[in-house]
Amino acid sequence: MSREITPRPLTAEAFAPFGDLLDTSRGPDFLINEGLCGRHHDRARLEFGGGAPGLSLFDAVPRSLPYRFDLVERHPRGSQAFVPMCLCSFLVIVAPDAGGTPGTPQAFLTAPGQAVNLHRATWHGVLTPLEAPGLFAVVDRVGAGENLEEYRYPEGWVVVP
Amino acid sequence: MSREITPRPLTAEAFAPFGDLLDTSRGPDFLINEGLCGRHHDRARLEFGGGAPGLSLFDAVPRSLPYRFDLVERHPRGSQAFVPMCLCSFLVIVAPDAGGTPGTPQAFLTAPGQAVNLHRATWHGVLTPLEAPGLFAVVDRVGAGENLEEYRYPEGWVVVP
C-alpha cells in the first residue's frame, strides 16, 4: 500500500533545505536596458565539482496526479537547475538525507513562472511535468566521474491532488 | 531615416556565427528516467572567463514590430544564454564584429520552445520579448571585472514584420 503525500505550493522558505526557488516575487535586484528589464541576479547556488557547467534541454512525458513513485536519485557532485519553457506547473519531489539514504519525501507544486535549482546531493524524484510540453532547460554538471545515486523506497509513495 | 531589417526564422545553421540554438529538433542525445525523458545534452558553448556561472531571471517589457533600435552591446568575458519561460517567440538581434565595432545587424525570430546562447563577445541587441510575460532564465558570467561594451549606431535600424 502506498503512502500519500499532498503537494504544497512552492515557496523559497519551504524549499530552502533542498534548493533555490527562482521567480520574480522578490522584485529585481537591478534594472538594465534603460529600465526596460529587471535582473533577478544570480539566484541559484550552482556547483559543478570536478566538472563544468552545462546547459541542456530535458523533454519529459507529462504526468498526472495521483502520481506513484518509489525511486529517487541525487547527484553528489553538482547542483541541477530546472527551468520550465512554458508557463506551466510542475511537481518537485525532494527528500532530506537521513544518513546516506533519503528520509520521507516531500512534494511541491510550482506556479507558472517558477524555476528551481536543486542543491548538490539533494535527493529528488525524476522530472515530473504536469502539462505538455514537458520542456525544461537544465543547468547541471557535465564531465567524467560518477554523479548519480539512486534509491528505491521499499514501499511506494503516491502524490495525491 | 532608419534602415530596415526583416527577421529570419531562427535556425542553428544561420545562428552558428553568433551562438547556439537550443531546441529539440535534432532529437535527444539519450533517454533518462526509464525512457520518459529525452536529454538534449550540453547544447551550449558556455564561457565565464575569470568569473563564475550564474543563473538569473530577466523580466523584460515586451516589444512589438516595427522595432527601432540603435544600441547593441557585447560581453567580452562570457557567453549569455536566454531561456524563455513561456511558449513564446522573441526577437534576437545580433551583429558580426567588424574590427572592434559591430557590422550590419541581423534579426532572428524564435519559435516557441527555442532558447539561445550568445557566444562570448557577440554583439547583440537588448532582450526583446514580443509577448508577455517577457520572462527568461539567463545563464551568464557573474563576477568582478568589466564585461560590457556598448555601441550606438550613428543611424538607427528598424526591424519590420
Side-chain angles (χ1 to χ4, degrees):
Chain A
M1 181 174 147
S2 297
R3 292 161 289 180
E4 291 192 350
I5 305 171
T6 303
R8 288 182 287 166
L10 185 61
T11 65
E13 294 68 27
F15 197 62
F18 308 106
D20 309 298
L21 164 62
L22 293 97
D23 69 6
T24 59
S25 63
R26 277 167 49 193
D29 296 287
F30 43 94
L31 294 175
I32 59 175
N33 300 344
E34 301 176 317
L36 294 176
C37 183
R39 180 166 176 135
H40 305 255
H41 181 66
D42 195 18
R43 291 290 181 93
R45 199 169 84 208
L46 303 176
E47 291 186 72
F48 308 103
L55 181 58
S56 302
L57 299 188
F58 281 20
D59 191 8
V61 175
R63 315 300 211 280
S64 58
L65 303 186
Y67 171 70
R68 293 172 190 282
F69 72 97
D70 60 4
L71 180 72
V72 292
E73 62 183 42
R74 66 175 178 175
H75 308 296
R77 295 173 185 251
S79 57
Q80 191 171 42
F82 294 93
V83 177
M85 292 179 67
C86 57
L87 280 174
C88 296
S89 293
F90 61 103
L91 186 64
V92 181
I93 294 169
V94 287
D97 185 59
T101 57
T104 301
Q106 301 180 30
F108 294 92
L109 201 57
T110 69
Q114 291 184 328
V116 298
N117 177 58
L118 296 172
H119 291 157
R120 185 178 61 76
T122 299
W123 292 107
H124 61 278
V126 301
L127 184 58
T128 40
L130 296 174
E131 299 170 53
L135 183 62
F136 293 76
V138 175
V139 180
D140 67 359
R141 178 186 178 278
V142 169
E146 189 53 55
N147 189 28
L148 175 65
E149 286 179 46
E150 291 182 322
Y151 178 84
R152 207 171 280 275
Y153 288 99
E155 284 185 272
W157 300 89
V158 56
V159 182
V160 295
Chain B
M1 179 174 147
S2 298
R3 293 161 289 181
E4 290 191 350
I5 305 171
T6 302
R8 290 181 286 165
L10 185 61
T11 65
E13 294 68 26
F15 197 61
F18 308 105
D20 310 297
L21 165 62
L22 293 97
D23 69 7
T24 59
S25 63
R26 278 166 48 194
D29 296 286
F30 43 92
L31 294 176
I32 58 175
N33 300 344
E34 301 176 318
L36 295 176
C37 183
R39 181 165 175 135
H40 305 255
H41 182 67
D42 195 16
R43 291 290 180 92
R45 199 170 84 209
L46 304 176
E47 290 186 73
F48 309 101
L55 180 59
S56 302
L57 299 188
F58 281 20
D59 191 8
V61 174
R63 314 300 210 281
S64 59
L65 302 186
Y67 171 71
R68 292 172 190 284
F69 72 97
D70 60 3
L71 180 72
V72 292
E73 62 183 42
R74 66 175 177 175
H75 309 295
R77 296 173 186 250
S79 57
Q80 192 171 43
F82 294 94
V83 177
M85 292 179 67
C86 57
L87 281 174
C88 296
S89 293
F90 60 103
L91 186 64
V92 181
I93 294 169
V94 288
D97 186 59
T101 57
T104 300
Q106 301 181 30
F108 295 93
L109 200 57
T110 69
Q114 291 184 328
V116 298
N117 178 57
L118 297 171
H119 291 158
R120 186 177 61 76
T122 299
W123 291 107
H124 61 280
V126 302
L127 184 59
T128 41
L130 297 174
E131 299 171 53
L135 183 62
F136 293 75
V138 175
V139 180
D140 66 359
R141 178 187 177 279
V142 169
E146 189 53 55
N147 190 28
L148 175 66
E149 285 180 46
E150 292 181 322
Y151 179 84
R152 206 172 280 276
Y153 289 98
E155 283 185 90
W157 301 89
V158 57
V159 182
V160 296

